[in-house]
Amino acid sequence: MNSRTEASSDKVYHQVIEYIKELARDQKISFGDKIPSERHLMETLGLSRNSIREAIRTLEHMGLIESCHGKGNFLVNHMGESLSSVFSMMLFMKGSDYLEVNHLRKAMEIQAFHLALERLSEGEREKLMEIMQPIRDTDDYEAMMQMDHNFHKMLIECSGNHLLGQLMEALSQVCQEEMQLILENATKEYTEWWLSIHQTIYECLICGRREEGLAAIEEHYQWIEEKLKKIMQKSSAVKSN
Amino acid sequence: MNSRTEASSDKVYHQVIEYIKELARDQKISFGDKIPSERHLMETLGLSRNSIREAIRTLEHMGLIESCHGKGNFLVNHMGESLSSVFSMMLFMKGSDYLEVNHLRKAMEIQAFHLALERLSEGEREKLMEIMQPIRDTDDYEAMMQMDHNFHKMLIECSGNHLLGQLMEALSQVCQEEMQLILENATKEYTEWWLSIHQTIYECLICGRREEGLAAIEEHYQWIEEKLKKIMQKSSAVKSN
DNA sequence: GAGTGGTCTAGACCACGGC
DNA sequence: CCGTGGTCTAGACCACTCC
């Protein structure tokens, strides 16, 4: 009854993880489905509820499971959110900063632009156009942030690379507050410039003007970098007071 | 005694997480230090050992804590490994593939190259040189992989961007097996070409030849991409048999 | 041997969701 | 009302580390 004696590899809850992964691999359950209840897994695997729950906590943080109180545990695909929790922890522990995030985002967006140029479909063209329309009529910063987010997300989607998509989504979440700081203090002048940059990127993508598009992306992130530096100066000045 | 009544935000183990983060933020403990034992945390926070352990499991998978049997739980900085577990899960669940990983790695390495060009220090120059020396005398693929890994890691380090470093490390771990498949089947001819590419990247970095270096990186990843495609064809052929 | 993590026991009560 | 997750109780034994 006690499976400690036949422990496969260190911690017992790995058994649970393997079991769930097995179920998933063999298509016995797929995304959105409920996995067996905790009390059920106890019996099936001959483990205590504690161990089951520790395993589920682990899987939850890998983005594979979502616990719903009163309903059950469900197989999901939230790995993006899982990434963002790690990133925000890195930032919290000063293992990185927003400038570094910005560099990474630029790198990914450039790559996405290259990929998108090579495989942009008609449907994506139209979707991009839809997204660009409201951008032009935007003036309050909240709407601006939303539009900006949609635009960049769509650009990444056009690359067809899901990994880039998930990563970028995670990074966006992590630096949402910083972006807000930047945009809410932007003057009207900046706002217009900001919009025009997006317009340029959009047109270049549609028309296949590679170099010009890359330059616009570069300029976009360069601008953010400068703003970030100002914010960081301010906050360090506050600290030293 | 029972703190369920004053639950701050959903799950109780968030209290533990906040508590540990607080300790870390206030410099009461720093990386490498032992955190209070589980039985101790029980009393301090008025929670059961189950909840404490679930919290620790979560923090462990965020890369902030490492559990050592018989010694204690320690504050560490393993967020890179935490990332890699999420990526490998993504690959396992077919949320991505090695081609996508390769694209991401290329994007990051290009960015790292740009950054490195602008801030390469004398110490880093020397370290790069040290790494390059054994590369030239390498012929068995295991050593080759090791050298390759060191070289790319060093390149990223030269960018000064820790985020890139951690991410790249995580991705390297994830696709180690694939790289092995690629390299162990490489012919002598390829091996020499492979080495020369690294040599080129190295020289361009040292001498500030930006365009040429980027082209070499591009070629490097292009080569990997082709090899990956071949491998994927093979494995899908095996499946259909 | 003392301290600590890993795991189990055999229950219990609460809160939530669905029928 | 029942099933389920969230949490607690009040212990227990094992394996490991360090002294």
Side-chain angles (χ1 to χ4, degrees):
Chain A
M1 175 159 288
N2 188 332
S3 56
R4 272 171 296 175
T5 49
E6 50 173 75
S8 56
S9 72
D10 214 10
K11 320 241 177 123
V12 169
Y13 63 73
H14 285 319
Q15 289 179 22
V16 188
I17 296 179
E18 288 307 315
Y19 180 70
I20 304 287
K21 281 171 80 174
E22 219 173 280
L23 288 181
R25 184 172 33 109
D26 300 349
Q27 315 274 319
K28 302 215 168 138
I29 47 178
S30 46
F31 292 133
D33 292 354
K34 195 165 94 63
I35 69 174
S37 78
E38 298 177 359
R39 287 156 175 100
H40 211 82
L41 285 171
M42 265 177 77
E43 292 185 7
T44 308
L45 299 173
L47 299 173
S48 72
R49 199 167 160 209
N50 291 346
S51 298
I52 303 289
R53 283 181 61 80
E54 283 190 41
I56 287 177
R57 216 49 56 219
T58 295
L59 289 168
E60 190 180 34
H61 243 265
M62 289 172 73
L64 192 69
I65 279 186
E66 184 171 58
S67 293
C68 293
H69 195 167
K71 289 205 281 187
N73 294 309
F74 295 83
L75 201 66
V76 293
N77 187 1
H78 286 173
M79 287 148 210
E81 288 153 44
S82 173
L83 287 176
S84 97
S85 74
V86 177
F87 287 132
S88 68
M89 182 58 86
M90 281 178 70
L91 289 168
F92 177 80
M93 297 302 283
K94 313 285 184 202
S96 186
D97 58 44
Y98 291 106
L99 283 180
E100 294 193 348
V101 173
N102 197 47
H103 280 151
L104 175 57
R105 303 221 308 164
K106 181 171 79 175
M108 293 198 302
E109 191 152 316
I110 287 172
Q111 176 68 28
F113 186 78
H114 280 301
L115 291 170
L117 275 184
E118 287 160 20
R119 59 174 294 292
L120 196 64
S121 71
E122 197 48 50
E124 286 165 341
R125 252 172 234 267
E126 280 170 22
K127 226 172 162 185
L128 269 171
M129 220 181 299
E130 275 172 40
I131 287 171
M132 283 307 291
Q133 193 49 52
I135 284 188
R136 298 198 190 88
D137 318 324
T138 301
D139 52 356
D140 77 301
Y141 80 93
E142 280 190 7
M144 235 171 107
M145 271 186 66
Q146 190 57 49
M147 296 302 115
D148 180 76
H149 181 250
N150 287 344
F151 175 75
H152 291 284
K153 187 174 176 181
M154 190 62 212
L155 201 170
I156 298 278
E157 260 177 45
C158 292
S159 77
N161 186 318
H162 291 214
L163 181 59
L164 283 181
Q166 299 242 280
L167 240 187
M168 187 58 106
E169 190 65 23
L171 292 172
S172 297
Q173 270 184 39
V174 160
C175 51
Q176 224 179 26
E177 283 178 31
E178 300 299 303
M179 285 307 295
Q180 188 168 331
L181 272 180
I182 290 178
L183 286 181
E184 73 188 356
N185 292 319
T187 62
K188 175 83 178 164
E189 226 174 315
Y190 273 132
T191 308
E192 305 230 326
W193 176 84
W194 174 264
L195 292 178
S196 79
I197 277 275
H198 287 81
Q199 180 69 23
T200 306
I201 298 174
Y202 163 71
E203 284 171 12
C204 292
L205 180 56
I206 295 285
C207 308
R209 304 206 299 272
R210 186 182 297 254
E211 293 308 320
E212 197 183 335
L214 291 176
I217 293 175
E218 187 77 39
E219 197 179 343
H220 178 279
Y221 282 96
Q222 189 60 41
W223 183 80
I224 295 179
E225 182 167 340
E226 281 161 23
K227 295 291 173 189
L228 278 175
K229 280 181 181 165
K230 276 189 197 166
I231 290 177
M232 287 165 78
Q233 275 171 16
K234 267 188 210 165
S235 67
S236 66
V238 168
K239 265 185 202 163
S240 63
N241 277 356
Chain B
M1 173 157 288
N2 188 332
S3 56
R4 271 172 296 176
T5 50
E6 51 174 74
S8 56
S9 71
D10 215 9
K11 321 241 177 122
V12 169
Y13 63 73
H14 285 319
Q15 289 178 23
V16 188
I17 296 180
E18 288 308 313
Y19 180 70
I20 304 287
K21 281 172 79 174
E22 222 173 276
L23 288 181
R25 183 174 33 111
D26 301 348
Q27 315 274 318
K28 301 213 168 138
I29 47 178
S30 45
F31 291 134
D33 292 354
K34 196 166 93 65
I35 69 174
S37 78
E38 298 177 359
R39 289 157 175 99
H40 215 83
L41 284 171
M42 263 176 80
E43 291 184 6
T44 308
L45 298 173
L47 298 173
S48 73
R49 199 168 160 209
N50 290 347
S51 298
I52 303 287
R53 282 181 62 79
E54 282 191 42
I56 286 177
R57 216 50 55 220
T58 295
L59 288 168
E60 189 181 35
H61 267 262
M62 289 171 70
L64 192 69
I65 279 187
E66 184 172 56
S67 294
C68 294
H69 196 167
K71 290 205 280 188
N73 293 308
F74 295 83
L75 201 66
V76 294
N77 187 1
H78 286 173
M79 288 149 211
E81 287 155 45
S82 173
L83 287 176
S84 98
S85 74
V86 177
F87 287 131
S88 69
M89 183 58 88
M90 279 177 72
L91 289 169
F92 177 80
M93 296 301 284
K94 313 286 184 200
S96 187
D97 59 45
Y98 292 106
L99 282 178
E100 294 193 347
V101 173
N102 197 47
H103 281 150
L104 175 56
R105 302 221 310 165
K106 181 172 78 175
M108 294 199 301
E109 191 151 316
I110 287 173
Q111 175 69 25
F113 186 79
H114 280 300
L115 291 169
L117 275 184
E118 287 160 19
R119 59 174 293 293
L120 195 64
S121 71
E122 196 48 49
E124 286 165 341
R125 251 172 237 266
E126 281 170 22
K127 227 173 162 185
L128 268 171
M129 221 179 301
E130 276 173 40
I131 287 172
M132 282 307 292
Q133 194 49 52
I135 283 189
R136 297 196 192 89
D137 317 324
T138 300
D139 54 353
D140 76 301
Y141 81 91
E142 279 190 8
M144 235 172 108
M145 269 186 70
Q146 189 58 49
M147 298 300 117
D148 180 76
H149 181 249
N150 288 345
F151 175 75
H152 291 284
K153 186 174 176 180
M154 189 63 211
L155 202 171
I156 298 278
E157 260 177 44
C158 293
S159 76
N161 187 318
H162 291 213
L163 181 59
L164 282 181
Q166 300 242 280
L167 240 187
M168 188 59 105
E169 189 66 22
L171 292 173
S172 296
Q173 270 184 41
V174 160
C175 50
Q176 226 179 25
E177 283 178 32
E178 299 299 302
M179 285 308 293
Q180 187 168 331
L181 272 181
I182 290 178
L183 286 182
E184 72 187 357
N185 292 321
T187 62
K188 177 82 179 163
E189 227 174 315
Y190 272 133
T191 308
E192 305 230 325
W193 176 84
W194 174 265
L195 293 178
S196 79
I197 278 275
H198 287 81
Q199 181 69 22
T200 305
I201 298 174
Y202 163 71
E203 284 170 13
C204 291
L205 180 56
I206 296 284
C207 308
R209 303 205 302 270
R210 187 182 298 256
E211 293 308 321
E212 198 183 335
L214 290 176
I217 293 176
E218 186 76 39
E219 198 180 343
H220 178 280
Y221 282 95
Q222 189 60 43
W223 183 80
I224 294 179
E225 184 167 337
E226 281 161 24
K227 295 291 174 191
L228 279 175
K229 280 180 181 167
K230 275 189 199 165
I231 289 177
M232 287 165 77
Q233 275 171 16
K234 266 187 211 164
S235 67
S236 66
V238 168
K239 264 184 200 163
S240 62
N241 276 357

